[in-house]
Amino acid sequence: TSVFFNARIQPSGTFTLNLNGNAGDAVDFANERLGSELRISPNLGLRVGRNIDLNIQQSYQHMRYEGRNVFTAHLTQLRGVYNFSPRSFVRAIVQFRQTDRNPDMYTADVDQRNRAVFTQFLYAYKVNPQTVLFAGYTDDRNALTDIQGRHTDLTQKGRAFFLKLGYAWRP
């Protein structure tokens, strides 16, 4: 049994506020049991002129089982898009995630806290309606606090430069 809600307001063409979430029963997949969950996600959008779109989103999730905390997760994402023209744009995403777990509530060993930072930069150019070129860079960093309370610094897990050409072939 769950309750879902969604509210959206756009008082002008430049400003949008959205709030959605749910509360009630949810599956604790890590421990294969039914628990209760509260999830709330506010989202703020801002359109500056014709070329700039900015967005910030915060997601909060809290899981409980038999009245005890299992985990609490926060995800914050900042997204900016600059449109050079109808054919090309550049996009930047910065995402911060933190998960705090109660190790006593898990059936397997887990880290007490996990923090991660993800960034992505993308350039896109539309050659024609069937052909698009993407070029970008991603960076993923992670930090942990284990069961004994030992911390690790934010370290790079991976990074990638990429180039993609999308083409719709029509006979």
Side-chain angles (χ1 to χ4, degrees), residues 5 11 24 49 54 71-72 76 82 85-86 90 95 111 115 123 136 147 160:
F5 61 90
L54 303 172
F71 72 85
T72 301
T76 303
Y82 182 81
S85 71
V90 64
Q95 191 178 80
D111 293 314
R115 292 176 318 211
Y123 172 75
I147 295 173

Side-chain angles (χ1 to χ4, degrees), residues 60-107:
Y60 169 83
Q61 181 182 10
H62 184 75
M63 174 71 72
R64 296 176 65 83
Y65 177 72
E66 294 183 347
R68 297 181 63 200
N69 294 340
V70 178
F71 72 85
T72 301
H74 298 271
L75 177 81
T76 303
Q77 178 173 293
L78 302 169
R79 181 175 183 247
V81 177
Y82 182 81
N83 295 291
F84 295 105
S85 71
R87 291 181 152 217
S88 70
F89 68 88
V90 64
R91 180 185 73 197
I93 296 175
V94 178
Q95 191 178 80
F96 176 76
R97 184 184 72 239
Q98 179 172 313
T99 305
D100 294 306
R101 295 178 189 87
N102 180 354
D104 297 335
M105 296 299 294
Y106 281 80
T107 56

Side-chain angles (χ1 to χ4, degrees), residues 99-103 110-114 145-149:
T99 305
D100 294 306
R101 295 178 189 87
N102 180 354
V110 294
D111 293 314
Q112 187 174 3
R113 174 176 285 168
N114 178 300
T145 302
D146 65 14
I147 295 173
Q148 289 80 28

Side-chain angles (χ1 to χ4, degrees), residues 5-12 15-20 43 45:
F5 61 90
N6 185 18
R8 178 182 165 99
I9 184 170
Q10 188 170 358
S12 70
F15 178 75
T16 304
L17 181 61
N18 191 26
L19 176 65
N20 60 53
N43 183 348

